[in-house]
């Protein structure tokens, strides 16, 4: 009887040891180099993640199952900034609403205490969030919480690819990440090779966030987001000498620069009743009507872009993401219509959802005054 009890205890110990070994095999310490070149030790794949930004990217690269391990979310960057997208995803996956909110960096509501209470394996931040948090990052690291920085806002091939691979490592989806990163690189290389081979003068382009409507100029973009994408697509960004990242530009400077292509970005809502509307649930006729309103600004009738109906609209939510290769395609087609007549950028954008995401948006994501 005593021997039998010992054998049972020995077998139980073996089972526990095997379970511990399996758990260790599933999550092992590894060193990740983030986009800032920081070496960060993380248990991979991460089981408890606080996500600051890039929720769609995290889901596309890591698969929907990656959100089974997201224990905290900066909810304002999704629900507040893109409410129609949030509604679409929460209708599909209601449990997203139950993920604790840790606050938002720009609004200064981000709470280190809330993050620590969630006992995360890792906190994933956008570059702008990491910089905005300042000393609060030190508090997280002093509490032995790894912080990994990714960056799609820079709109460079290097950072897009690096960020995608990092998310692939964090979620254990390296092969999926390589496929997505490879598709992105291929799309950008195709654009740049065609533009280079054509050897044409770079068309002057102006991009503005149309959230304030025609009556008030909103901010434009210099080195990042739509500014970087316009440059990547082969355009001469008229704002680049005057705006470093994003911010307002003197309206007189826009008129003096005589842009040949003008692009307004928009979301599903805006600060004005005449704001540029784009995105989920937006009718194409409505988008084109709003776009037309911007051409009525004082002095704009003389702009080459307006005279030639080369005025376009894009979805703001389709920037600063691995999904935005199609938006670079759209800008390239607006700049060089003869070089990219074979591309259907909006369909390519929607096809990414079909391939990598569990929802399918319906609405208007690109538009043209010529429609």
């Amino acid at each position: 009887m005593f021997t039998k009890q010992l054998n049972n205890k020995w077998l139980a110990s073996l089972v526990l040891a095997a379970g511990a070994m399996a758990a260790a095999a599933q999550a092992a310490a590894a060193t990740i180099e983030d986009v800032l070149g920081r070496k960060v030790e993380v248990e991979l794949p991460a089981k408890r993640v606080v996500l600051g930004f890039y929720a769609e990217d995290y889901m596309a690269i890591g698969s929907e199952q990656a959100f089974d391990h997201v224990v905290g979310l900066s909810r304002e960057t999704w629900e507040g900034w893109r409410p129609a997208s949030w509604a679409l995803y929460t209708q599909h996956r209601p449990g997203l609403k139950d993920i604790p909110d840790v606050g938002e960096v720009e609004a200064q509501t981000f709470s280190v205490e809330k993050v620590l209470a969630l006992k995360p394996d890792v906190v994933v931040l956008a570059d702008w969030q990491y910089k905005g948090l300042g000393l609060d990052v030190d508090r997280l690291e002093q509490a032995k919480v790894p912080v990994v920085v990714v960056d799609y806002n820079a709109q460079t091939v290097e950072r897009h690819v690096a960020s995608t691979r990092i998310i692939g490592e964090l979620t254990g989806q390296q092969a999926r990440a390589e496929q997505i990163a490879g598709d992105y690189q291929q799309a950008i290389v195709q654009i740049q090779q065609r533009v280079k081979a054509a050897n044409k003068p770079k068309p002057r382009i102006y991009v503005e966030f149309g959230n304030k409507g025609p009556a008030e100029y909103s901010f434009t973009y210099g080195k990042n987001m739509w500014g970087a994408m316009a440059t990547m697509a082969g355009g001469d960004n008229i704002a680049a000498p005057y705006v470093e990242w994003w911010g307002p530009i003197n309206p007189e400077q826009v008129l003096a620069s005589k842009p040949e292509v003008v692009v307004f970005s928009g979301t599903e809502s805006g600060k004005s009743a005449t704001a540029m509307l784009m995105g989920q649930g937006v009718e194409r006729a409505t988008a084109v009507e709003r776009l037309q309103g911007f051409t009525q600004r004082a002095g704009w009738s003389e702009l080459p872009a307006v005279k030639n109906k080369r005025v376009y609209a894009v979805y703001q939510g389709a920037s600063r993401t691995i999904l935005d290769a199609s938006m670079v395609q759209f800008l390239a087609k607006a700049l060089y219509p003869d070089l990219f007549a074979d591309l259907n950028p909006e369909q390519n954008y929607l096809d990414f959802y079909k391939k990598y995401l569990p929802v399918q948006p319906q609405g208007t994501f690109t538009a043209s005054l010529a429609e």
Side-chain angles (χ1 to χ4, degrees):
M1 182 72 173
F2 180 71
T3 302
K4 185 176 180 181
Q5 287 177 337
L6 282 177
N7 286 339
N8 287 340
K9 288 181 179 180
W10 179 72
L11 286 172
S13 297
L14 282 179
V15 170
L16 289 171
M21 290 174 65
Q26 289 176 355
T31 300
I32 284 182
E33 182 175 336
D34 69 12
V35 296
L36 300 180
R38 300 164 61 252
K39 302 290 198 303
V40 185
E41 189 169 296
V42 188
E43 293 287 326
L44 298 179
K47 298 298 183 185
R48 296 185 63 81
V49 179
V50 170
L51 188 59
F53 199 33
Y54 308 128
E56 273 194 304
D57 300 281
Y58 199 84
M59 190 178 291
I61 298 160
S63 80
E64 184 179 0
Q65 285 66 44
F67 262 75
D68 293 344
H69 303 291
V70 174
V71 298
L73 192 65
S74 183
R75 192 156 149 173
E76 177 66 14
T77 64
W78 194 355
E79 182 184 19
W81 296 2
R82 298 178 61 203
S85 171
W86 174 258
L88 182 66
Y89 277 94
T90 53
Q91 183 178 8
H92 166 76
R93 187 183 174 100
L96 290 172
K97 297 178 182 178
D98 299 326
I99 298 175
D101 180 17
V102 298
E104 200 268 297
V105 174
E106 282 190 341
Q108 299 184 339
T109 58
F110 188 92
S111 170
V112 172
E113 287 73 20
K114 287 182 179 179
V115 172
L116 294 177
L118 296 170
K119 299 181 178 177
D121 298 332
V122 63
V123 176
V124 182
L125 297 175
D127 181 34
W128 63 267
Q129 292 177 314
Y130 176 82
K131 291 172 179 173
L133 282 175
L135 294 177
D136 279 344
V137 173
D138 295 338
R139 292 176 60 197
L140 290 171
E141 292 178 333
Q142 286 165 6
K144 308 299 182 185
V145 176
V147 176
V148 172
V149 181
V150 292
D151 182 17
Y152 291 103
N153 282 56
Q155 297 293 162
T156 65
V157 173
E158 179 185 14
R159 286 214 168 180
H160 265 48
V161 169
S163 298
T164 302
R165 287 174 174 161
I166 290 166
I167 293 173
E169 287 186 79
L170 289 172
T171 58
Q173 292 285 351
Q174 290 92 333
R176 186 178 172 102
E178 284 299 327
Q179 178 66 53
I180 292 172
D183 289 347
Y184 175 84
Q185 281 184 298
Q186 184 178 4
I188 302 305
V189 167
Q190 179 192 53
I191 291 166
Q192 295 180 331
Q193 285 181 341
R194 287 192 194 182
V195 170
K196 183 177 180 180
N199 196 28
K200 294 185 174 186
K202 291 183 178 182
R204 297 182 302 278
I205 181 171
Y206 171 67
V207 186
E208 181 185 326
F209 186 25
N211 64 324
K212 295 183 178 180
E216 183 181 356
Y217 279 67
S218 188
F219 52 77
T220 185
Y221 305 88
K223 296 178 183 176
N224 70 348
M225 290 183 62
W226 294 109
M229 293 165 75
T231 301
M232 190 183 292
D236 177 9
N237 178 17
I238 69 164
Y242 310 102
V243 176
E244 185 172 9
W245 301 112
W246 57 269
I249 188 174
N250 190 322
E252 294 299 322
Q253 186 59 56
V254 177
L255 296 176
S257 298
K258 295 181 168 47
E260 297 158 274
V261 173
V262 169
V263 180
F264 287 94
S265 64
T267 64
E268 296 88 351
S269 60
K271 296 181 178 180
S272 163
T274 55
M276 187 66 236
L277 292 181
M278 295 291 289
Q280 170 72 14
V282 176
E283 297 288 341
R284 187 162 299 276
T286 301
V288 174
E289 181 183 357
R290 293 293 179 93
L291 188 59
Q292 176 69 46
F294 286 89
T295 68
Q296 307 305 310
R297 283 174 166 173
W300 276 50
S301 62
E302 297 304 310
L303 292 182
V306 176
K307 286 182 177 180
N308 298 315
K309 290 193 172 183
R310 298 181 70 184
V311 181
Y312 304 89
V314 288
Y315 179 41
Q316 180 78 352
S319 65
R320 58 191 177 190
T321 168
I322 194 62
L323 286 75
D324 60 35
S326 54
M327 295 297 116
V328 181
Q329 290 178 332
F330 182 76
L331 294 177
K333 191 169 183 176
L335 291 162
Y336 304 97
D338 55 328
L339 295 184
F340 298 100
D342 60 317
L343 296 185
N344 188 341
E346 186 164 13
Q347 187 58 54
N348 292 341
Y349 177 71
L350 296 173
D351 286 346
F352 186 99
Y353 279 87
K354 290 178 182 178
K355 190 172 183 179
Y356 293 113
L357 287 162
V359 298
Q360 187 63 41
Q362 295 181 347
T364 306
F365 305 94
T366 65
S368 167
L369 193 63
E371 294 181 29

